[in-house]
Amino acid sequence: MAQKSKSPSAERKARIEEMRRAQHASERRNRILTIAVSAVVVLGLVGFGAYALNKKSDQKAAADAPIKGEKDWDAAKLGRNHVTEQVKYPMKPPVGGDHNQVWMNCDRDVYKDAIPDMNAVHALEHGAVWVTYNDKASAADVKTLSDKVKKTSYSLMSPYKDQAGTIMLSAWGKQLSVKTADDPRVNQFFTRYVQGPQTPEPGAACTGGMDAPQ
């Protein structure tokens, strides 16, 4: 005997039930997908945070590490008076001492000619790093250092014929000699001493002073 077909009401209920099951399955898949994506985002943020923290920690460790070959002088004994008469500094280039009341501009300034010691020392007092080089420095190294200074506020650069080292970096009471611009100690010196803890007058101006040798 043939089986009776379902009534329209029963078929409608079956379709509704099937649609509900499909909707629930879709919602369940969406929840799983949302949870998975959220987990990936959280893991990414945690990973990035750990990376950034480790990078910052590594940078601090590099900045705090001793700089091999660095020379330092007792800042308290260097003197900081403004004077008009010429000062005979005990080191070349000088890293501190009495100086002219006008500072050398040191806001990413690269000077092609030698600059006065007494004005450059005043820039060091404001927290600048002074890069100098003699005629043994290669043109490529001079350009590399020039590019770095041009990107770094509170830094300046000039030739210095009578210095002992090929390339020298000076901050207040601190000095480092290197042979090439790619020496990793160059970045270390900048990181530590541009507006660093040695600065007698942190935040003092690096513009509005002397713009070129007079």
Side-chain angles (χ1 to χ4, degrees):
M1 189 175 190
Q3 187 177 2
K4 291 183 178 179
S5 62
K6 293 181 180 180
S7 67
S9 177
E11 290 179 351
R12 187 169 64 84
K13 288 181 179 179
R15 286 197 301 272
I16 292 173
E17 185 61 30
E18 182 63 28
M19 291 172 63
R20 284 176 178 171
R21 284 197 296 268
Q23 184 177 359
H24 290 159
S26 176
E27 290 174 350
R28 188 163 54 249
R29 286 194 300 269
N30 288 339
R31 282 197 301 270
I32 294 172
L33 181 61
T34 299
I35 292 171
V37 170
S38 298
V40 170
V41 170
V42 169
L43 288 173
L45 290 173
V46 170
F48 177 77
Y51 167 78
L53 186 61
N54 288 336
K55 184 176 181 181
K56 186 175 182 180
S57 178
D58 290 343
Q59 288 175 338
K60 186 177 186 305
D64 292 342
I67 301 177
K68 185 178 179 181
E70 176 188 283
K71 295 181 179 179
D72 63 274
W73 288 261
D74 186 349
K77 297 179 180 179
L78 288 175
R80 291 176 50 201
N81 299 310
H82 289 174
V83 296
T84 55
E85 67 274 10
Q86 288 297 314
V87 177
K88 186 175 182 180
Y89 296 103
M91 73 294 287
K92 291 184 178 182
V95 299
D98 294 343
H99 49 267
N100 192 281
Q101 65 177 352
V102 180
W103 56 89
M104 205 74 206
N105 283 337
C106 48
D107 186 24
R108 299 165 290 186
D109 291 280
V110 175
Y111 299 100
K112 300 300 183 183
D113 299 313
I115 60 177
D117 284 352
M118 293 175 63
N119 303 93
V121 168
H122 197 159
L124 301 186
E125 186 182 39
H126 289 189
V129 164
W130 181 19
V131 180
T132 54
Y133 59 95
N134 61 20
D135 55 9
K136 294 180 182 178
S138 70
D141 281 343
V142 171
K143 184 180 186 307
T144 297
L145 292 166
S146 174
D147 290 344
K148 183 173 183 62
V149 168
K150 288 177 180 178
K151 296 176 183 177
T152 309
S153 292
Y154 285 95
S155 71
L156 67 163
M157 178 175 171
S158 67
Y160 204 102
K161 184 177 180 180
D162 297 332
Q163 68 181 27
T166 302
I167 298 166
M168 299 182 74
L169 293 86
S170 302
W172 188 269
K174 310 290 181 180
Q175 194 165 77
L176 176 69
S177 178
V178 298
K179 293 182 178 179
T180 60
D182 62 358
D183 191 309
R185 293 176 296 171
V186 172
N187 287 336
Q188 192 179 4
F189 195 93
F190 267 74
T191 299
R192 180 176 292 184
Y193 295 126
V194 170
Q195 283 287 283
Q198 85 293 340
T199 305
E201 296 180 4
C206 242
T207 58
M210 183 181 289
D211 189 39
Q214 305 256 323

